[in-house]
């Protein structure tokens, strides 16, 4: 062991040793298994500390689990397809495959320098045809199960780029890339019926007891189960019946108009000639929107036009106007709503704007006045009024009675709806998974799509001339590649064309965790034996921004794989950790945009890998945001130096271990085992910052001993350093491995033997009691740890400096075992 701590020399040596020994390979035949996974990265080529925190949490947990004798599957791969790489290719005229390969190499080198304990033999990349082949396989299998279908849907369309863009790419109604106008239009796309699983996705949330509460809440809201009633409103002088859904059937008698979306399919059939011009103008105007999503329209000014159509109220026979309204969209509910201004603020605002009737049909249960006459809707439940035979019922009673009534009268029915929509997966991109469908005019005149035979998978992305194909404008890029587009029909062997759109990259990440189990299998995405060996994932780590889409898609995909017989499990993840972000030195989230990115390579060069790892784990609880601080990194570096110095100074005492007759110094041993107990608990609850704090305290305690004269002291110091190496190994593996080698205890770190504390050494024989009089501290007394209240009082009776404060009447005594005693004294 060298006198001076030099991480730049020490750390690469250990990394090479681990790689040569294949230290992190696992066997599928292991008896005790665990699966730790971090959300795989998009390989941008530039890792920053925000990335490091995510992967480091997983690495620390994996290393700790190995110390407990568990065979841990801890793989890594690359979410390599998608829009960022394609946009970069458009900008730089470089093929995304070349750029992605370079970025992966850079990212992987950074990960190795950080000492992450990945099983690289299972590495995957979603850009590899051997991976996306199975995306295509799942697509076809799901289509056979009627889970994949062709539909027309409202999408955001950029008029200048001539392509569909995501909601997140629309800024103030314009394309963020070209600043062109974005319109909402109907287009054909492939979709997955995730809504078939909405009820199960919701019910299973109760099983996810080790998920963050906030994530569970977001998923419940995203799925959005609503119980209510469908009402059917017939439109006069037409064959159209407008079906609306409401969760408040008790307000039906207050309905004064209907609102429908600007792209409702029945508009042409119901609009009157007199109102056609103004509705056409409104519809054209409404196609320019910031987003297609209903929840993003909640705060916009309420606007609409009268269609001239008249709907018949199913309960009263009243004639109600039908209005186009900008707050109604077709992909939410039925695209039509019953508007009750007195009991819905949105409906109230609209009604006031266009002078529509406002009728109150619910009054407060306590008969208090409402502010309806002041334009404030009364939205609470209460007692029905002016509601025919339902008058006088409570809202809950009326909800049941009206649901029964509409079903009996055949004017509607009770129903359950979900806010969640089916998953549209078509993307007009090149750098994605080709959709394995061909179109043949002879065999498929309606263009419903013919499946590519399984034996012809994968349908590979063609090589392209980047400048000609990736223009960012016009038709889908693959439609410009004739060698790809033109093919042979698998049915008639005549000419056919391929689907030119590619899959949403959320498909890539919806099941990637399963491919790690069997990454070299050419016959199946994975075998059920391996799935049942490793599933579910014991710990999954990623950002909270993935709470809904990615994590819902993963759960859905797992349920489908379960139904296909690929696994016996329905849920993929046992414990979910959502880590906080790392803010830059300026307090803002690390981003190239702000120029505040901190590169791990630069910090490693100055302080070493273990200092980086220690700082990231020490800076705060893993689910909280932290701020980067060079000063705190330096502080962690100094701590590792103190640890090294402590180990170096006592290295000659290792020989004492061979003397079996040597006992321990009780004070040192107690402090060490109390620390070990706390650290063990902290590992189990993933409180890594407190682990480091406790180890720092122990190092300070041991360093303060400075000189050790007896064999007992030396023996206890050596044991303490051994245990420190084990406790800190998951966090700072390089320095602790070196120390463990010197202290003849490398097996503690290699063979799955996390140390066990001695319980009797963790219990203090004596404790200090704080003495309070009327809540004010007056002194302290030392007593046996098992002392009773009466024992403490007896000791205090002999303390004249305390008894003088007890003159008067003691009206109450508050006793907290092992902490304090407080006397409430009345003079």
């Amino acid at each position: 062991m060298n006198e001076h701590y030099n991480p730049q020399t020490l750390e690469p040596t250990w990394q090479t040793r681990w790689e040569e020994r294949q230290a992190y390979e696992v066997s599928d035949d292991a008896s005790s298994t665990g699966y730790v996974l971090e959300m795989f990265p998009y390989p941008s080529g530039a890792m920053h500390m925000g990335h490091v925190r995510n992967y480091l949490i997983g690495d620390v947990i994996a290393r700790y689990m190995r110390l407990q004798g568990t065979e841990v599957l801890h793989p890594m791969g690359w979410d390599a397809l998608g829009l960022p790489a394609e946009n970069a290719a458009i900008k730089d005229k470089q093929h995304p495959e070349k750029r992605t390969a370079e970025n992966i190499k850079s990212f992987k080198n950074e990960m190795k320098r950080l000492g992450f304990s990945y099983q690289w033999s299972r590495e995957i990349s979603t850009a590899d045809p051997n991976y996306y082949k199975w995306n295509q396989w799942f697509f076809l299998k799901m289509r056979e199960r009627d889970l994949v279908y062709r539909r027309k849907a409202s999408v955001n369309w950029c008029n200048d780029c001539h392509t569909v863009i995501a909601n997140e790419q629309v800024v103030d109604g314009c394309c963020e890339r070209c600043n062109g106008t974005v319109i909402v239009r109907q287009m054909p796309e492939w979709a997955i019926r995730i809504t078939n699983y909405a009820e199960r996705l919701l019910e299973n949330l109760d099983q996810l007891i080790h998920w963050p509460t906030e994530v569970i809440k977001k998923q419940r809201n995203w799925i959005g189960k609503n119980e209510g009633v469908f009402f059917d409103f017939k439109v006069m002088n037409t064959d159209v019946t407008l079906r609306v859904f409401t969760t408040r059937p008790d307000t039906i008698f207050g309905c004064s108009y209907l609102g429908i979306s600007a792209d409702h399919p029945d508009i042409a059939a119901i609009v009157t000639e007199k109102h056609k011009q103004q509705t056409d103008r409104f519809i054209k105007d409404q196609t320019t929107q910031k987003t297609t999503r209903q929840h993003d329209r909640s705060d916009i000014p309420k606007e609409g036009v009268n269609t001239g159509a008249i709907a018949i109220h199913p309960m009263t026979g009243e004639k109600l106007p039908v209005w186009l309204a900008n707050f109604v969209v077709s992909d939410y509910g039925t695209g039509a709503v019953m508007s009750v201004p007195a009991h819905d603020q949105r409906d109230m605002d609209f009604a006031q704007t266009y002078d529509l009737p406002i009728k109150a049909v619910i009054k407060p249960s306590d008969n208090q006045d409402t502010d309806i006459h002041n334009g404030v809707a009364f939205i609470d439940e209460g007692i029905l009024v002016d509601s025919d035979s339902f008058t006088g019922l409570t809202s809950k009673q009326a909800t049941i009675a009206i649901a029964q009534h509409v079903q009996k009268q055949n004017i509607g029915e009770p129903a359950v709806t979900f806010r969640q929509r089916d998953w549209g997966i078509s993307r007009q991109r090149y750098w994605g998974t080709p959709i394995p469908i061909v179109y043949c005019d002879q065999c498929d005149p309606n263009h419903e799509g013919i499946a590519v035979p399984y034996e012809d998978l994968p349908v590979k992305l063609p090589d392209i001339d980047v400048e000609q194909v990736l223009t960012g404008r016009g038709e889908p890029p693959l439609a410009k590649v004739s060698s790809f587009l033109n093919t042979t029909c698998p049915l008639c062997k005549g000419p056919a064309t391929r689907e030119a759109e590619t899959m949403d990259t959320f498909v890539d990440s919806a099941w990637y965790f399963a491919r790690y189990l069997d990454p070299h299998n050419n016959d199946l995405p994975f075998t059920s034996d391996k799935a049942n060996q490793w599933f579910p994932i014991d710990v999954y780590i990623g950002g909270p921004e993935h709470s809904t889409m990615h994590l819902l898609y993963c759960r859905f995909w797992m349920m489908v794989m379960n139904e296909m017989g690929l696994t016996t499990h329905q849920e993929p993840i046992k414990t979910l950790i959502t880590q906080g972000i790392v803010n830059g030195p300026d307090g803002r989230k690390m981003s190239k945009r702000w120029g505040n990115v901190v590169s791990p390579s630069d910090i490693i060069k100055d302080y070493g890998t273990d200092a980086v790892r220690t700082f990231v784990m020490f800076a705060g609880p893993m689910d909280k945001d932290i701020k980067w601080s060079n000063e705190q990194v330096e502080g962690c570096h100094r701590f590792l130096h103190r640890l090294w110095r402590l180990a170096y100074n006592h290295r000659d005492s290792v020989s004492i271990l061979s003397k079996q007759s040597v006992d321990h110094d009780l004070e040192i041993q107690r402090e060490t085992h109390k620390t070990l107990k706390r650290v063990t608990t902290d590992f189990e609850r993933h409180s890594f910052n407190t682990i480091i704090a406790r180890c720092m305290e122990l190092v300070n305690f041991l360093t303060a001993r400075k000189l050790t004269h007896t064999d007992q002291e030396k023996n206890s110091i050596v044991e303490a350093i051994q245990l420190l190496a084990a406790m800190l190994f998951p966090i700072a593996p390089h320095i602790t491995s070196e120390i463990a080698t010197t202290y003849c205890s490398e097996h503690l770190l290699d063979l799955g033997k996390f140390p066990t504390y001695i319980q009797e050494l963790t219990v203090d024989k004596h404790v200090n009691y704080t003495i309070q009089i009327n809540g004010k501290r007056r002194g302290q007394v030392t007593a046996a740890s098992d002392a009773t209240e009466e024992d403490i009082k007896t000791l205090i009776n002999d303390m004249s400096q305390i008894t003088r404060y007890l003159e008067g009447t003691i009206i109450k005594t508050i006793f907290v075992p092992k902490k304090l005693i407080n006397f409430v004294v009345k003079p």
Side-chain angles (χ1 to χ4, degrees), residues 657-688:
L657 292 177
S658 62
K659 301 179 181 179
Q660 297 183 4
S661 60
V662 176
D663 203 348
H664 284 274
D665 178 276
L666 198 56
E667 182 186 10
I668 296 174
Q669 199 177 29
R670 283 188 184 282
E671 194 67 27
T672 301
H673 281 265
K674 283 194 288 186
T675 300
L676 178 57
K677 180 179 180 179
R678 296 188 188 110
V679 164
T680 302
T681 300
D682 288 345
F683 265 121
E684 294 298 329
R685 62 192 185 98
H686 301 145
S687 181
F688 306 117

mmCIF file of all heavy atoms in Angstrom, residues 657-688:
data_model
loop_
_atom_site.group_PDB
_atom_site.id
_atom_site.type_symbol
_atom_site.label_atom_id
_atom_site.label_comp_id
_atom_site.label_asym_id
_atom_site.label_seq_id
_atom_site.Cartn_x
_atom_site.Cartn_y
_atom_site.Cartn_z
ATOM 1 N N LEU A 657 -4.047 -9.701 13.836
ATOM 2 C CA LEU A 657 -5.192 -10.583 13.613
ATOM 3 C C LEU A 657 -4.832 -12.058 13.759
ATOM 4 O O LEU A 657 -5.680 -12.888 14.074
ATOM 5 C CB LEU A 657 -5.778 -10.343 12.208
ATOM 6 C CG LEU A 657 -6.464 -8.985 11.983
ATOM 7 C CD1 LEU A 657 -6.905 -8.875 10.544
ATOM 8 C CD2 LEU A 657 -7.648 -8.830 12.920
ATOM 9 N N SER A 658 -3.565 -12.374 13.514
ATOM 10 C CA SER A 658 -3.167 -13.786 13.601
ATOM 11 C C SER A 658 -3.032 -14.260 15.040
ATOM 12 O O SER A 658 -2.935 -15.454 15.303
ATOM 13 C CB SER A 658 -1.832 -13.996 12.863
ATOM 14 O OG SER A 658 -0.813 -13.213 13.479
ATOM 15 N N LYS A 659 -3.023 -13.324 15.994
ATOM 16 C CA LYS A 659 -2.908 -13.685 17.407
ATOM 17 C C LYS A 659 -4.304 -13.889 17.984
ATOM 18 O O LYS A 659 -4.987 -12.930 18.348
ATOM 19 C CB LYS A 659 -2.154 -12.595 18.168
ATOM 20 C CG LYS A 659 -0.740 -12.344 17.646
ATOM 21 C CD LYS A 659 -0.056 -11.221 18.427
ATOM 22 C CE LYS A 659 1.342 -10.959 17.890
ATOM 23 N NZ LYS A 659 2.009 -9.852 18.633
ATOM 24 N N GLN A 660 -4.743 -15.125 18.027
ATOM 25 C CA GLN A 660 -6.119 -15.413 18.419
ATOM 26 C C GLN A 660 -6.421 -15.030 19.860
ATOM 27 O O GLN A 660 -7.580 -14.858 20.226
ATOM 28 C CB GLN A 660 -6.390 -16.893 18.210
ATOM 29 C CG GLN A 660 -6.291 -17.319 16.746
ATOM 30 C CD GLN A 660 -6.627 -18.778 16.549
ATOM 31 O OE1 GLN A 660 -7.005 -19.470 17.500
ATOM 32 N NE2 GLN A 660 -6.471 -19.266 15.323
ATOM 33 N N SER A 661 -5.404 -14.886 20.678
ATOM 34 C CA SER A 661 -5.646 -14.575 22.086
ATOM 35 C C SER A 661 -5.934 -13.091 22.318
ATOM 36 O O SER A 661 -6.363 -12.693 23.389
ATOM 37 C CB SER A 661 -4.423 -14.976 22.926
ATOM 38 O OG SER A 661 -3.280 -14.254 22.485
ATOM 39 N N VAL A 662 -5.712 -12.284 21.283
ATOM 40 C CA VAL A 662 -5.895 -10.845 21.439
ATOM 41 C C VAL A 662 -7.372 -10.492 21.417
ATOM 42 O O VAL A 662 -8.113 -10.876 20.513
ATOM 43 C CB VAL A 662 -5.150 -10.086 20.325
ATOM 44 C CG1 VAL A 662 -5.429 -8.579 20.438
ATOM 45 C CG2 VAL A 662 -3.655 -10.359 20.413
ATOM 46 N N ASP A 663 -7.788 -9.739 22.412
ATOM 47 C CA ASP A 663 -9.186 -9.282 22.505
ATOM 48 C C ASP A 663 -9.327 -7.931 21.796
ATOM 49 O O ASP A 663 -8.417 -7.471 21.117
ATOM 50 C CB ASP A 663 -9.595 -9.188 23.968
ATOM 51 C CG ASP A 663 -11.097 -9.284 24.146
ATOM 52 O OD1 ASP A 663 -11.805 -9.199 23.123
ATOM 53 O OD2 ASP A 663 -11.549 -9.422 25.289
ATOM 54 N N HIS A 664 -10.475 -7.277 21.973
ATOM 55 C CA HIS A 664 -10.740 -5.993 21.332
ATOM 56 C C HIS A 664 -10.809 -4.874 22.369
ATOM 57 O O HIS A 664 -11.115 -5.098 23.543
ATOM 58 C CB HIS A 664 -12.064 -6.043 20.565
ATOM 59 C CG HIS A 664 -11.982 -6.790 19.277
ATOM 60 N ND1 HIS A 664 -11.588 -6.208 18.100
ATOM 61 C CD2 HIS A 664 -12.250 -8.089 18.979
ATOM 62 C CE1 HIS A 664 -11.623 -7.102 17.125
ATOM 63 N NE2 HIS A 664 -12.020 -8.263 17.636
ATOM 64 N N ASP A 665 -10.554 -3.669 21.867
ATOM 65 C CA ASP A 665 -10.820 -2.480 22.667
ATOM 66 C C ASP A 665 -12.320 -2.207 22.556
ATOM 67 O O ASP A 665 -12.844 -1.970 21.462
ATOM 68 C CB ASP A 665 -10.024 -1.291 22.116
ATOM 69 C CG ASP A 665 -10.310 -0.013 22.878
ATOM 70 O OD1 ASP A 665 -11.320 0.650 22.532
ATOM 71 O OD2 ASP A 665 -9.564 0.311 23.788
ATOM 72 N N LEU A 666 -13.014 -2.244 23.685
ATOM 73 C CA LEU A 666 -14.469 -2.203 23.680
ATOM 74 C C LEU A 666 -15.014 -0.889 23.124
ATOM 75 O O LEU A 666 -16.005 -0.880 22.383
ATOM 76 C CB LEU A 666 -15.015 -2.439 25.089
ATOM 77 C CG LEU A 666 -16.498 -2.838 25.168
ATOM 78 C CD1 LEU A 666 -16.771 -4.073 24.344
ATOM 79 C CD2 LEU A 666 -16.887 -3.062 26.629
ATOM 80 N N GLU A 667 -14.384 0.226 23.438
ATOM 81 C CA GLU A 667 -14.889 1.518 22.955
ATOM 82 C C GLU A 667 -14.833 1.598 21.433
ATOM 83 O O GLU A 667 -15.794 2.013 20.777
ATOM 84 C CB GLU A 667 -14.075 2.658 23.565
ATOM 85 C CG GLU A 667 -14.596 4.031 23.136
ATOM 86 C CD GLU A 667 -13.720 5.167 23.614
ATOM 87 O OE1 GLU A 667 -12.599 4.886 24.110
ATOM 88 O OE2 GLU A 667 -14.143 6.326 23.467
ATOM 89 N N ILE A 668 -13.705 1.188 20.861
ATOM 90 C CA ILE A 668 -13.558 1.220 19.409
ATOM 91 C C ILE A 668 -14.544 0.247 18.763
ATOM 92 O O ILE A 668 -15.207 0.566 17.760
ATOM 93 C CB ILE A 668 -12.113 0.872 18.997
ATOM 94 C CG1 ILE A 668 -11.137 1.924 19.520
ATOM 95 C CG2 ILE A 668 -12.005 0.741 17.480
ATOM 96 C CD1 ILE A 668 -9.684 1.595 19.280
ATOM 97 N N GLN A 669 -14.632 -0.934 19.342
ATOM 98 C CA GLN A 669 -15.508 -1.948 18.760
ATOM 99 C C GLN A 669 -16.980 -1.512 18.805
ATOM 100 O O GLN A 669 -17.731 -1.725 17.854
ATOM 101 C CB GLN A 669 -15.311 -3.280 19.487
ATOM 102 C CG GLN A 669 -15.825 -4.464 18.682
ATOM 103 C CD GLN A 669 -15.549 -5.786 19.372
ATOM 104 O OE1 GLN A 669 -15.485 -5.855 20.601
ATOM 105 N NE2 GLN A 669 -15.373 -6.836 18.583
ATOM 106 N N ARG A 670 -17.393 -0.916 19.921
ATOM 107 C CA ARG A 670 -18.780 -0.443 20.021
ATOM 108 C C ARG A 670 -19.079 0.616 18.949
ATOM 109 O O ARG A 670 -20.099 0.573 18.285
ATOM 110 C CB ARG A 670 -19.044 0.134 21.422
ATOM 111 C CG ARG A 670 -19.232 -0.903 22.503
ATOM 112 C CD ARG A 670 -19.687 -0.225 23.795
ATOM 113 N NE ARG A 670 -19.790 -1.179 24.881
ATOM 114 C CZ ARG A 670 -20.812 -2.026 25.041
ATOM 115 N NH1 ARG A 670 -21.800 -2.018 24.173
ATOM 116 N NH2 ARG A 670 -20.827 -2.866 26.058
ATOM 117 N N GLU A 671 -18.199 1.577 18.821
ATOM 118 C CA GLU A 671 -18.417 2.652 17.840
ATOM 119 C C GLU A 671 -18.478 2.085 16.423
ATOM 120 O O GLU A 671 -19.296 2.510 15.594
ATOM 121 C CB GLU A 671 -17.288 3.688 17.938
ATOM 122 C CG GLU A 671 -17.576 4.982 17.216
ATOM 123 C CD GLU A 671 -18.710 5.769 17.843
ATOM 124 O OE1 GLU A 671 -18.952 5.622 19.069
ATOM 125 O OE2 GLU A 671 -19.377 6.519 17.096
ATOM 126 N N THR A 672 -17.648 1.101 16.145
ATOM 127 C CA THR A 672 -17.616 0.495 14.816
ATOM 128 C C THR A 672 -18.902 -0.261 14.521
ATOM 129 O O THR A 672 -19.506 -0.109 13.442
ATOM 130 C CB THR A 672 -16.416 -0.455 14.700
ATOM 131 O OG1 THR A 672 -15.213 0.275 14.941
ATOM 132 C CG2 THR A 672 -16.366 -1.097 13.324
ATOM 133 N N HIS A 673 -19.352 -1.067 15.455
ATOM 134 C CA HIS A 673 -20.536 -1.894 15.204
ATOM 135 C C HIS A 673 -21.829 -1.072 15.240
ATOM 136 O O HIS A 673 -22.801 -1.412 14.557
ATOM 137 C CB HIS A 673 -20.581 -3.065 16.177
ATOM 138 C CG HIS A 673 -19.666 -4.179 15.771
ATOM 139 N ND1 HIS A 673 -20.079 -5.267 15.036
ATOM 140 C CD2 HIS A 673 -18.321 -4.349 15.977
ATOM 141 C CE1 HIS A 673 -19.060 -6.058 14.811
ATOM 142 N NE2 HIS A 673 -17.967 -5.527 15.373
ATOM 143 N N LYS A 674 -21.844 0.004 16.007
ATOM 144 C CA LYS A 674 -23.001 0.899 15.951
ATOM 145 C C LYS A 674 -23.078 1.550 14.570
ATOM 146 O O LYS A 674 -24.169 1.694 14.003
ATOM 147 C CB LYS A 674 -22.906 1.965 17.053
ATOM 148 C CG LYS A 674 -23.266 1.440 18.441
ATOM 149 C CD LYS A 674 -23.505 2.563 19.432
ATOM 150 C CE LYS A 674 -22.236 3.258 19.824
ATOM 151 N NZ LYS A 674 -22.456 4.257 20.909
ATOM 152 N N THR A 675 -21.932 1.921 14.033
ATOM 153 C CA THR A 675 -21.909 2.488 12.681
ATOM 154 C C THR A 675 -22.369 1.460 11.656
ATOM 155 O O THR A 675 -23.167 1.757 10.765
ATOM 156 C CB THR A 675 -20.498 2.976 12.332
ATOM 157 O OG1 THR A 675 -20.098 3.980 13.261
ATOM 158 C CG2 THR A 675 -20.451 3.534 10.915
ATOM 159 N N LEU A 676 -21.865 0.228 11.785
ATOM 160 C CA LEU A 676 -22.237 -0.834 10.843
ATOM 161 C C LEU A 676 -23.741 -1.106 10.876
ATOM 162 O O LEU A 676 -24.374 -1.301 9.833
ATOM 163 C CB LEU A 676 -21.455 -2.108 11.166
ATOM 164 C CG LEU A 676 -21.767 -3.340 10.301
ATOM 165 C CD1 LEU A 676 -21.553 -3.040 8.824
ATOM 166 C CD2 LEU A 676 -20.916 -4.530 10.747
ATOM 167 N N LYS A 677 -24.323 -1.076 12.061
ATOM 168 C CA LYS A 677 -25.764 -1.307 12.170
ATOM 169 C C LYS A 677 -26.541 -0.202 11.448
ATOM 170 O O LYS A 677 -27.484 -0.480 10.683
ATOM 171 C CB LYS A 677 -26.180 -1.368 13.639
ATOM 172 C CG LYS A 677 -27.682 -1.605 13.824
ATOM 173 C CD LYS A 677 -28.070 -1.678 15.306
ATOM 174 C CE LYS A 677 -29.569 -1.926 15.468
ATOM 175 N NZ LYS A 677 -29.950 -2.033 16.899
ATOM 176 N N ARG A 678 -26.154 1.037 11.682
ATOM 177 C CA ARG A 678 -26.849 2.158 11.041
ATOM 178 C C ARG A 678 -26.673 2.105 9.526
ATOM 179 O O ARG A 678 -27.610 2.359 8.764
ATOM 180 C CB ARG A 678 -26.315 3.481 11.591
ATOM 181 C CG ARG A 678 -26.589 3.696 13.078
ATOM 182 C CD ARG A 678 -26.189 5.108 13.487
ATOM 183 N NE ARG A 678 -26.256 5.297 14.927
ATOM 184 C CZ ARG A 678 -25.195 5.441 15.715
ATOM 185 N NH1 ARG A 678 -23.977 5.391 15.199
ATOM 186 N NH2 ARG A 678 -25.341 5.619 17.011
ATOM 187 N N VAL A 679 -25.470 1.790 9.079
ATOM 188 C CA VAL A 679 -25.187 1.733 7.649
ATOM 189 C C VAL A 679 -25.997 0.618 6.982
ATOM 190 O O VAL A 679 -26.532 0.784 5.881
ATOM 191 C CB VAL A 679 -23.680 1.548 7.401
ATOM 192 C CG1 VAL A 679 -23.406 1.106 5.960
ATOM 193 C CG2 VAL A 679 -22.934 2.840 7.716
ATOM 194 N N THR A 680 -26.097 -0.517 7.652
ATOM 195 C CA THR A 680 -26.890 -1.627 7.105
ATOM 196 C C THR A 680 -28.339 -1.198 6.915
ATOM 197 O O THR A 680 -28.946 -1.455 5.863
ATOM 198 C CB THR A 680 -26.818 -2.843 8.042
ATOM 199 O OG1 THR A 680 -25.447 -3.227 8.220
ATOM 200 C CG2 THR A 680 -27.600 -4.014 7.468
ATOM 201 N N THR A 681 -28.884 -0.544 7.920
ATOM 202 C CA THR A 681 -30.261 -0.042 7.812
ATOM 203 C C THR A 681 -30.382 0.976 6.681
ATOM 204 O O THR A 681 -31.357 0.960 5.913
ATOM 205 C CB THR A 681 -30.701 0.607 9.133
ATOM 206 O OG1 THR A 681 -30.642 -0.364 10.177
ATOM 207 C CG2 THR A 681 -32.121 1.150 9.031
ATOM 208 N N ASP A 682 -29.388 1.847 6.553
ATOM 209 C CA ASP A 682 -29.434 2.883 5.524
ATOM 210 C C ASP A 682 -29.347 2.279 4.121
ATOM 211 O O ASP A 682 -29.992 2.780 3.188
ATOM 212 C CB ASP A 682 -28.301 3.889 5.731
ATOM 213 C CG ASP A 682 -28.541 4.775 6.949
ATOM 214 O OD1 ASP A 682 -29.685 4.802 7.439
ATOM 215 O OD2 ASP A 682 -27.591 5.437 7.402
ATOM 216 N N PHE A 683 -28.557 1.225 3.965
ATOM 217 C CA PHE A 683 -28.506 0.556 2.659
ATOM 218 C C PHE A 683 -29.879 -0.014 2.300
ATOM 219 O O PHE A 683 -30.321 0.084 1.156
ATOM 220 C CB PHE A 683 -27.461 -0.561 2.655
ATOM 221 C CG PHE A 683 -26.121 -0.141 2.133
ATOM 222 C CD1 PHE A 683 -24.991 -0.239 2.924
ATOM 223 C CD2 PHE A 683 -25.985 0.336 0.843
ATOM 224 C CE1 PHE A 683 -23.742 0.151 2.450
ATOM 225 C CE2 PHE A 683 -24.738 0.728 0.343
ATOM 226 C CZ PHE A 683 -23.625 0.631 1.155
ATOM 227 N N GLU A 684 -30.551 -0.608 3.272
ATOM 228 C CA GLU A 684 -31.841 -1.229 3.001
ATOM 229 C C GLU A 684 -32.894 -0.184 2.609
ATOM 230 O O GLU A 684 -33.804 -0.475 1.838
ATOM 231 C CB GLU A 684 -32.315 -2.022 4.222
ATOM 232 C CG GLU A 684 -31.456 -3.220 4.555
ATOM 233 C CD GLU A 684 -31.440 -4.251 3.440
ATOM 234 O OE1 GLU A 684 -32.455 -4.378 2.720
ATOM 235 O OE2 GLU A 684 -30.400 -4.940 3.276
ATOM 236 N N ARG A 685 -32.758 1.026 3.139
ATOM 237 C CA ARG A 685 -33.735 2.062 2.801
ATOM 238 C C ARG A 685 -33.180 3.053 1.772
ATOM 239 O O ARG A 685 -33.769 4.100 1.523
ATOM 240 C CB ARG A 685 -34.206 2.798 4.056
ATOM 241 C CG ARG A 685 -33.147 3.547 4.829
ATOM 242 C CD ARG A 685 -33.656 3.997 6.191
ATOM 243 N NE ARG A 685 -32.675 4.812 6.891
ATOM 244 C CZ ARG A 685 -32.678 6.139 6.915
ATOM 245 N NH1 ARG A 685 -33.628 6.803 6.286
ATOM 246 N NH2 ARG A 685 -31.760 6.816 7.583
ATOM 247 N N HIS A 686 -32.051 2.702 1.162
ATOM 248 C CA HIS A 686 -31.451 3.477 0.083
ATOM 249 C C HIS A 686 -31.146 4.918 0.506
ATOM 250 O O HIS A 686 -31.326 5.860 -0.264
ATOM 251 C CB HIS A 686 -32.363 3.479 -1.150
ATOM 252 C CG HIS A 686 -32.665 2.112 -1.683
ATOM 253 N ND1 HIS A 686 -33.880 1.772 -2.238
ATOM 254 C CD2 HIS A 686 -31.914 0.985 -1.718
ATOM 255 C CE1 HIS A 686 -33.868 0.504 -2.608
ATOM 256 N NE2 HIS A 686 -32.679 0.007 -2.297
ATOM 257 N N SER A 687 -30.670 5.067 1.730
ATOM 258 C CA SER A 687 -30.287 6.391 2.227
ATOM 259 C C SER A 687 -28.764 6.505 2.145
ATOM 260 O O SER A 687 -28.042 6.390 3.142
ATOM 261 C CB SER A 687 -30.774 6.580 3.668
ATOM 262 O OG SER A 687 -30.421 7.856 4.149
ATOM 263 N N PHE A 688 -28.260 6.765 0.939
ATOM 264 C CA PHE A 688 -26.828 6.685 0.702
ATOM 265 C C PHE A 688 -26.064 7.868 1.281
ATOM 266 O O PHE A 688 -24.905 7.726 1.688
ATOM 267 C CB PHE A 688 -26.565 6.566 -0.799
ATOM 268 C CG PHE A 688 -27.309 5.421 -1.436
ATOM 269 C CD1 PHE A 688 -28.263 5.641 -2.414
ATOM 270 C CD2 PHE A 688 -27.078 4.125 -1.028
ATOM 271 C CE1 PHE A 688 -28.960 4.593 -2.985
ATOM 272 C CE2 PHE A 688 -27.767 3.060 -1.599
ATOM 273 C CZ PHE A 688 -28.712 3.297 -2.577
#
